[in-house]
């Protein structure tokens, strides 16, 4: 019975997390699309995270 | 991996900042000196000397040519990053607590302290075009904070809004072109000071740190709280990681309060939260006093923390950090 209870609790938690993540993804897509439009309207390129390249080490 | 410990300050750290590429790390402290370090090995590249009071804040232009700093000597100064030479100076009636370049590096905001006879302000100036550009001394506009002084401020994407965090736990939003007031919101416990405000990479939302022991993510457009991160200690700083969806916070009991609590534990750990799930993921120990400032590497490869203990600790994330995923 305990095992059944834990596994159902885990399932609930996992479902809650999945919901939060898909909600966030929807929210971010909306924002990104809106901001892309605003930026295009004023001719400013999109901001993005720079790639994590190997940093040049000068000795 | 072991952190690199930067020992270049004799007093508590106030703010640390990476440049846009992340190869340099700038540190401000109460000892009146700003240091710049190579972030990959902790070697000190140089210092910026001239301020005659505690340094509260600095920021670096996107191309890493210019650095701006604000201090308790009531001045904001512009520096040539490479040579260490001071290029320009603005004078204020009170201390400068926070500075920031806008997106295209054409403007700088300065949060000035409230003192008897002087209201706190957010003053916006133009970046001087040449060394004796005296016209740049005149502000473009000055926002006078009425209800509660601003403690921190920043620019949203496209320099559309100017966002301020206040001493009473509220946040405000202004039109960044004109300085016109738009709205305020009490997002934290009334009377709990907001101590930090850092933006997401695209500057569409920001995260606050507050003495009420929480950090909150707020959308710049809707101005709604979208996430809340609960901790058990007063927070001094919060930052958002690119690459992974994490929020990093730091704080701890102030020295003068430690003896008044039952547990003498100061809780001087850096804490990682899942930005979306709001769950705590882990803590990093190391500082001997409260953590005053945290900066995340712009490429998301590591982070650095600066403490009341005078040290900066630079951490590179391990491979398992990037592999981390919740099993759902």
């Amino acid at each position: 019975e305990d095992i059944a209870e834990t596994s159902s609790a885990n399932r609930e938690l996992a479902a809650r997390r999945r919901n939060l993540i898909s909600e966030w993804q929807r929210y971010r897509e909306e924002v990104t699309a809106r901001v892309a439009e605003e930026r295009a309207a004023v001719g400013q390129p999109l901001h993005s995270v720079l790639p994590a390249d190997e940093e040049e080490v000068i000795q | 991996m072991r952190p690199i410990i930067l020992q270049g300050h004799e007093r508590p750290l106030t703010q640390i900042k990476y440049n846009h590429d992340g190869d340099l790390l700038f540190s401000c402290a109460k000892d009146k000196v700003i240091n710049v370090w190579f972030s990959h090995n902790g070697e000190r590249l140089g210092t910026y000397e001239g301020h005659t009071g505690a340094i509260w804040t600095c920021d670096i232009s996107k191309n890493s040519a210019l650095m701006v700093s604000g201090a308790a000597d009531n001045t904001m100064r512009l520096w040539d990053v490479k040579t260490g030479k001071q290029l320009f100076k603005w004078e204020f009636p009170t201390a400068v607590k926070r500075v920031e370049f806008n997106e295209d590096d054409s403007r700088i905001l300065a949060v000035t302290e409230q003192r008897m006879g002087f209201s706190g302000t957010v003053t916006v100036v133009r970046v001087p075009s040449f060394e004796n550009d005296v016209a740049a001394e005149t502000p473009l506009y000055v926002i006078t904070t009425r209800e509660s002084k601003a403690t921190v401020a920043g620019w949203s994407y496209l320099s559309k809004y100017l966002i301020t965090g206040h001493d009473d736990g509220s946040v405000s939003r202004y039109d960044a072109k004109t300085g016109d007031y738009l709205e305020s919101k009490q997002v934290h416990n009334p009377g709990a000071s907001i101590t930090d405000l850092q933006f997401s990479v695209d500057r569409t939302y920001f995260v606050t740190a507050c003495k009420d022991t929480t950090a909150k993510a707020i959308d710049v457009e809707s101005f709604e709280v979208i996430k809340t991160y609960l901790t058990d200690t007063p927070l001094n700083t919060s930052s958002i990681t690119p690459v992974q969806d994490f929020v990093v916070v730091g704080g701890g009991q102030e020295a003068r309060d430690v003896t008044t609590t039952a547990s003498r534990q100061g809780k001087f750990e850096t804490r990682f939260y899942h930005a979306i799930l709001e769950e705590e993921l882990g803590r990093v120990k190391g500082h001997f006093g409260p953590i005053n400032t945290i900066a995340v590497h712009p490429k998301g490869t590591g982070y650095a923390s600066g403490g009341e203990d005078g040290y900066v600790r630079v951490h590179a994330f391990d491979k398992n950090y990037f592999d981390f995923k919740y099993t759902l």
Side-chain angles (χ1 to χ4, degrees):
Chain A
E1 204 177 293
D2 275 358
I3 294 167
E5 216 167 273
T6 337
S7 78
S8 97
N10 281 345
R11 266 201 305 276
E12 261 172 48
L13 180 64
R16 200 181 79 88
R17 285 173 172 169
R18 269 197 303 274
N19 281 341
L20 284 171
I21 286 173
S22 57
E23 217 174 84
W24 179 265
Q25 281 164 345
R26 263 199 312 277
Y27 158 69
R28 290 308 302 162
E29 278 164 21
E30 258 172 49
V31 172
T32 310
R34 175 169 49 77
V35 172
E37 249 172 60
E38 281 183 51
R39 299 193 76 96
V42 291
Q44 291 286 329
L46 281 176
H47 263 252
S48 54
V49 181
L50 297 162
D53 51 6
E54 284 297 309
E55 268 159 25
E56 202 181 323
V57 180
I58 301 151
Q59 297 292 351
Chain B
M1 209 171 109
R2 290 173 62 85
I4 302 169
I5 297 163
L6 311 182
Q7 304 182 19
H9 291 287
E10 287 160 8
R11 297 286 317 278
L13 274 291
T14 51
Q15 193 177 23
I16 54 177
K17 271 249 168 103
Y18 285 95
N19 65 341
H20 191 60
D21 293 329
D23 57 333
L24 302 177
L25 182 67
F26 293 77
S27 59
C28 303
K30 292 186 180 171
D31 59 12
K32 305 173 190 173
V33 179
I34 304 163
N35 283 314
V36 57
W37 317 78
F38 284 117
S39 64
H40 72 279
N41 64 4
E43 191 187 318
R44 182 156 57 181
L45 183 65
T47 59
Y48 301 87
E49 287 174 56
H51 276 295
T52 56
I55 319 252
W56 295 115
T57 174
C58 77
D59 195 27
I60 304 97
S61 66
K62 308 288 169 303
N63 62 4
S64 299
L66 301 173
M67 188 262 288
V68 62
S69 59
D73 63 5
N74 303 352
T75 68
M76 174 166 83
R77 299 176 195 228
L78 190 69
W79 308 83
D80 182 319
V81 166
K82 236 183 224 155
T83 63
K85 194 181 157 211
Q86 183 183 308
L87 301 173
F88 210 83
K89 185 167 95 175
W90 290 266
E91 306 216 9
F92 293 93
T94 58
V96 180
K97 298 302 290 279
R98 185 62 74 117
V99 295
E100 200 174 277
F101 282 105
N102 71 345
E103 192 178 292
D104 63 7
D105 294 325
S106 61
R107 292 176 173 198
I108 302 168
L109 69 78
V111 176
T112 66
E113 181 64 285
Q114 176 182 311
R115 279 277 173 272
M116 226 200 293
F118 297 101
S119 332
T121 76
V122 183
T123 300
V124 172
V125 299
R126 174 171 63 80
V127 174
S129 326
F130 49 92
E131 210 162 325
N132 294 312
D133 188 1
V134 284
E137 281 175 21
T138 312
L140 297 171
Y141 57 82
V142 178
I143 296 167
T144 307
T145 47
R146 282 141 299 183
E147 302 288 309
S148 166
K149 69 171 183 186
T151 46
V152 288
W155 307 88
S156 81
Y157 71 94
L158 284 174
S159 307
K160 193 174 172 187
Y161 302 116
L162 196 153
I163 312 277
T164 54
H166 297 258
D167 201 34
D168 66 353
S170 66
V171 288
S172 303
R173 187 160 73 144
Y174 297 84
D175 180 322
K177 288 200 175 61
T178 58
D180 291 337
Y181 172 81
L182 298 173
E183 64 181 306
S184 285
K185 222 169 218 179
Q186 186 72 45
V187 292
H188 285 283
N189 288 353
S193 188
I194 295 179
T195 46
D196 200 4
L197 189 159
Q198 294 192 33
F199 284 84
S200 63
V201 176
D202 63 3
R203 292 195 167 250
T204 58
Y205 66 101
F206 59 93
V207 58
T208 57
C210 184
K211 290 291 186 190
D212 71 0
T213 74
T214 68
K216 290 185 193 247
I218 298 162
D219 183 286
V220 298
E221 193 64 56
S222 70
F223 220 46
E224 296 286 340
V225 173
I226 48 177
K227 296 287 170 186
T228 297
Y229 311 99
L230 301 170
T231 78
D232 58 355
T233 193
L235 294 181
N236 293 331
T237 181
S238 59
S239 194
I240 302 168
T241 64
V243 187
Q244 283 279 32
D245 289 309
F246 297 158
V247 164
V248 196
V249 303
Q253 215 110 53
E254 281 175 59
R256 63 167 188 267
D257 298 332
V258 173
T259 49
T260 65
T261 52
S263 118
R264 290 180 66 91
Q265 282 203 327
K267 302 184 170 132
F268 310 136
E269 298 132 327
T270 301
R271 296 129 189 265
F272 282 77
Y273 283 76
H274 195 283
I276 305 165
L277 305 176
E278 303 168 319
E279 295 171 23
E280 185 178 329
L281 301 171
R283 298 185 182 193
V284 180
K285 284 186 192 165
H287 285 286
F288 302 111
I291 294 168
N292 290 339
T293 172
I294 289 174
V296 176
H297 192 291
K299 293 173 185 174
T301 55
Y303 79 98
S305 55
E308 188 73 11
D309 59 10
Y311 295 110
V312 176
R313 304 174 67 90
V314 185
H315 299 254
F317 291 133
D318 291 331
K319 190 184 170 295
N320 62 16
Y321 167 89
F322 298 101
D323 296 340
F324 176 86
K325 262 207 168 89
Y326 262 99
T327 39
L328 297 173

